[in-house]
Amino acid sequence: MNADRIVHEQPAKWIERLARFGYAAKGIVYMIVGVLAFQAAFNWGGRITGSKGAFRTIANQPFGNFLLFLVGVGLLGYVVWRFVEAFRDPEHRDSGLSGFARRASYFVSGLIYASLAIFALRIVFGSPSNSSGSGGSSSQQGVATLLSQPFGQWLVGFVGVAIVAYGFYTFYKAYSTKFRRKLKLAQMSLKEEQWSTRIARFGLTSKGLVSVIIGYFFIQAARASDPSQAQTTEGALQTLQQQPYGAWLMGLVALGLIAYGIHLEVQARYRRISPAR
């Protein structure tokens, strides 16, 4: 009986380690995007970019390909965890309509980060596609594909509404501090708990704002049946930069993205992860 127990526990522990590695890798990507955007806001040598631009930045550092390989593998670990959440419901969340929607969002998130992980690994292994295309252009190609389908404008509009809804849900998480329920707070000191909560609320608020702007772009692309209007993080940051006091506004949001990355690192260390059902 003990042997059977060990056999069943080992894969679960392996998934947990992959998940933690994945949260850490995802956090690194957000921190790099935030640092580059903050530098760009005040003309300190950075540039506005998204995840794929962050990958290229990593690749250009000393030992960059090795570091990017670790990030790519880490993101694959995050993908595994998202699919486990989608198909096995390890946290025993409700099984109603909201539960189905949550698990569907985990599956979609897994697909998105799988494509990012593959992109990162293509850069590492010198794929000819590593220097072509940006996050914006790839999303626009996807929107163009959706628009060519029956009811394509409705499909793109639905995606935009879903992204906006996710943004507002992120605001809610920041306001309610529900994210604390998934952390092993007992393992933190009081000061660590206080600062991790503050940083998470700031980061989630910035992440939510970027998501709302991206969703708005997708809705506009649906209304105009124009895929070029669909933008991702890079386009959202550029939009903020073009507003009154844009440098300060984008700089603040960039700091928020760095904070969100730190929040992901905290999750990598302290999140409750239960791979087995």
Side-chain angles (χ1 to χ4, degrees):
M1 183 171 180
N2 289 337
D4 289 340
R5 183 178 170 185
I6 292 173
V7 169
H8 288 302
E9 285 183 352
Q10 289 305 315
K13 194 67 178 177
W14 180 243
I15 291 172
E16 178 184 348
R17 289 169 181 165
L18 277 176
R20 296 193 187 283
F21 190 20
Y23 278 110
K26 183 181 174 184
I28 289 171
V29 173
Y30 270 97
M31 285 189 285
I32 291 174
V33 170
V35 168
L36 291 174
F38 185 79
Q39 291 176 327
F42 300 103
N43 297 316
W44 291 344
R47 62 193 179 98
I48 302 173
T49 187
S51 299
K52 294 182 178 180
F55 295 156
R56 295 191 180 96
T57 298
I58 294 172
N60 289 332
Q61 305 310 307
F63 306 103
N65 276 352
F66 175 70
L67 295 174
L68 185 57
F69 175 78
L70 293 180
V71 169
V73 171
L75 291 177
L76 287 178
Y78 182 76
V79 170
V80 170
W81 172 237
R82 277 314 201 193
F83 287 160
V84 168
E85 287 184 299
F87 292 111
R88 297 182 61 183
D89 190 23
E91 296 177 336
H92 306 285
R93 307 293 285 272
D94 57 89
S95 57
L97 183 60
S98 62
F100 174 79
R102 184 180 296 109
R103 292 171 72 172
S105 71
Y106 293 153
F107 179 75
V108 172
S109 175
L111 292 178
I112 292 171
Y113 280 96
S115 69
L116 288 175
I118 291 170
F119 184 89
L121 294 175
R122 281 180 174 173
I123 295 178
V124 171
F125 294 108
S127 169
S129 63
N130 64 3
S131 61
S132 62
S134 65
S137 63
S138 62
S139 67
Q140 289 165 9
Q141 291 168 6
V143 169
T145 300
L146 279 180
L147 287 173
S148 67
Q149 308 304 312
F151 305 104
Q153 286 181 271
W154 287 97
L155 290 173
V156 175
F158 176 77
V159 171
V161 170
I163 296 173
V164 171
Y166 170 76
F168 279 102
Y169 176 67
T170 305
F171 290 149
Y172 169 69
K173 285 202 299 184
Y175 173 77
S176 66
T177 66
K178 286 182 67 174
F179 57 86
R180 286 167 50 88
R181 300 177 187 175
K182 295 184 178 182
L183 298 177
K184 300 176 182 177
L185 298 177
Q187 296 183 10
M188 298 182 182
S189 68
L190 179 59
K191 184 169 290 188
E192 287 173 335
E193 181 182 338
Q194 291 173 340
W195 274 105
S196 66
T197 300
R198 292 167 185 162
I199 290 170
R201 297 184 78 176
F202 180 34
L204 287 166
T205 300
S206 295
K207 180 68 163 58
L209 177 60
V210 171
S211 295
V212 169
I213 296 172
I214 292 171
Y216 170 78
F217 283 141
F218 274 70
I219 293 171
Q220 291 300 104
R223 291 180 60 185
S225 193
D226 180 7
S228 68
Q229 295 197 29
Q231 301 290 333
T232 54
T233 301
E234 184 177 349
L237 291 172
Q238 289 173 340
T239 298
L240 291 172
Q241 189 182 38
Q242 293 164 5
Q243 306 309 308
Y245 303 101
W248 292 98
L249 182 58
M250 190 178 78
L252 184 63
V253 172
L255 287 177
L257 293 179
I258 296 172
Y260 182 68
I262 295 172
H263 170 58
L264 290 170
E265 300 301 330
V266 172
Q267 290 196 76
R269 171 64 179 85
Y270 292 106
R271 194 184 195 279
R272 300 181 188 275
I273 296 177
S274 305
R277 188 179 176 85

